Amino acid sequence: MTISCLGYIIFSSTNLDDWRQFGEQVVGAMNVAQDDNSVALKIDEQPFRILVEPGDADHVIALGWEMAGKEEFSALQETLKAQGFAIRNGSDSEAENRAVTAFFTTFDPAGNPLEFYHGRTLDQTAFLSPVGVKSFVTGDMGLGHVVVPGGEDMEGTHAFYTAILGLGDSDDLNMQLPGENSPKIRVRFLHAANARHHSLAIASLPSPSGVIHAMLEMEDVDDVGRCHDRVLAAERPLMASLGRHCNDNMLSFYVVGPGGIPFEIGCEGLQVDWTDFEPTKSSVPDHWGHAYQVPV
Ligand SMILES: [Fe+2]
């Protein structure tokens, strides 16, 4: 497996002020953008983990995947080209903007925009949360996880991530939402070459923003609880109440962020030694909680 982690996410936004407020005052990240034309949210030693650029829509622009090295980077590029995927090499200025040596872009079979990079420069500035978050759980496990639509052909999208990109299966969730005639939902959870239970999930759900949710992990339940307080104080809508997931044991809540993009804020996420791991199948998402507050 050659993909180390989910390194960053880039969004376009119709309201950068809302991202600044949400990023700094609710999540507790540092906005380290050079000017007012973007928002760059720093949560650890990396230059940023979330970059927001102005745009006509609130949408994901790129999920940035970190490759183990230059060789793996080049090998993946060749593999994708050979399989007929359209590749665009990032320009020098774009790479500089991301603090990476090089990157290229493509789309997965469901149309989700991807970037693959190597050689990210670490920031020498210490992370200091403007609202006192102790730390985010990142390091070689990357920024957290993201859940995206699997598209019409869930199997094909799943095969892309496993057979071509080399992500591993963590869990296969098949569930029915509460209520008669409610739809069945399938979510495939996938891990990269790090201990985080999943860095990506693909779901049989649409998403207007392209991201069903993104997850950021905090050090402990007190930081999560204080963030929950800030969500309520800022009168941000909750998407789901506090709860604990079965498959990754995450204790978390979901808040609707800028542009309607949901964020899961959690702690205590499972870390796995993949050596003898058998992928699981599940039918229940939660041990308790996570009651949906808004329609999904
Ligand atoms: Fe999640």
Side-chain angles (χ1 to χ4, degrees), residues 14 28 73 96 103 110 117 127 130 177 212 224 245-246 253 267 293:
T14 57
F73 172 84
E96 190 180 341
F103 77 96
Y117 69 89
F127 170 68
L177 287 177
I212 293 167
V224 172
H245 284 305
C246 297
F253 68 89
C267 63
Q293 311 291 304

Side-chain angles (χ1 to χ4, degrees), residues 53-72:
E53 297 175 339
D56 297 334
D58 294 284
H59 208 272
V60 63
I61 293 178
L63 305 174
W65 293 97
E66 182 171 300
M67 303 303 299
K70 190 181 176 192
E71 275 181 28
E72 291 84 353

Side-chain angles (χ1 to χ4, degrees), residues 145 213 254 264:
H145 68 231
H213 74 259
Y254 291 69
E264 179 182 8

Side-chain angles (χ1 to χ4, degrees), residues 213-287:
H213 74 259
M215 188 284 294
L216 298 174
E217 184 172 1
M218 292 179 175
E219 191 176 307
D220 60 30
V221 68
D222 290 323
D223 273 345
V224 172
R226 289 186 194 106
C227 184
H228 192 269
D229 283 350
R230 294 192 296 276
V231 166
L232 297 182
E235 298 184 350
R236 296 263 176 190
L238 284 174
M239 188 176 86
S241 63
L242 198 65
R244 190 185 287 280
H245 284 305
C246 297
N247 67 14
D248 70 351
N249 201 49
M250 185 76 70
L251 178 66
S252 60
F253 68 89
Y254 291 69
V255 54
V256 181
I261 295 165
F263 276 80
E264 179 182 8
I265 304 291
C267 63
E268 302 179 15
L270 189 66
Q271 296 180 26
V272 182
D273 175 357
W274 302 108
T275 315
D276 296 314
F277 179 81
E278 285 289 328
T280 53
K281 286 185 184 295
S282 59
S283 57
V284 178
D286 303 296
H287 289 300

Side-chain angles (χ1 to χ4, degrees), residues 99-165:
V100 300
T101 303
F103 77 96
F104 66 88
T105 71
T106 193
F107 294 89
D108 75 10
N112 297 303
L114 310 180
E115 292 186 2
F116 300 94
Y117 69 89
H118 73 93
R120 196 159 199 215
T121 309
L122 294 188
D123 194 337
Q124 298 307 315
T125 314
F127 170 68
L128 189 61
S129 168
V131 294
V133 175
K134 292 188 285 295
S135 70
F136 289 83
V137 179
T138 56
D140 65 4
M141 296 197 302
L143 78 85
H145 68 231
V146 67
V147 183
V148 296
E152 299 278 304
D153 178 14
M154 277 277 285
E155 285 305 313
T157 305
H158 176 259
F160 169 82
Y161 281 105
T162 52
I164 300 179
L165 298 193

Side-chain angles (χ1 to χ4, degrees), residues 191-202:
H191 68 86
N194 69 69
R196 194 184 293 286
H197 177 270
H198 56 276
S199 294
L200 174 74
I202 54 170

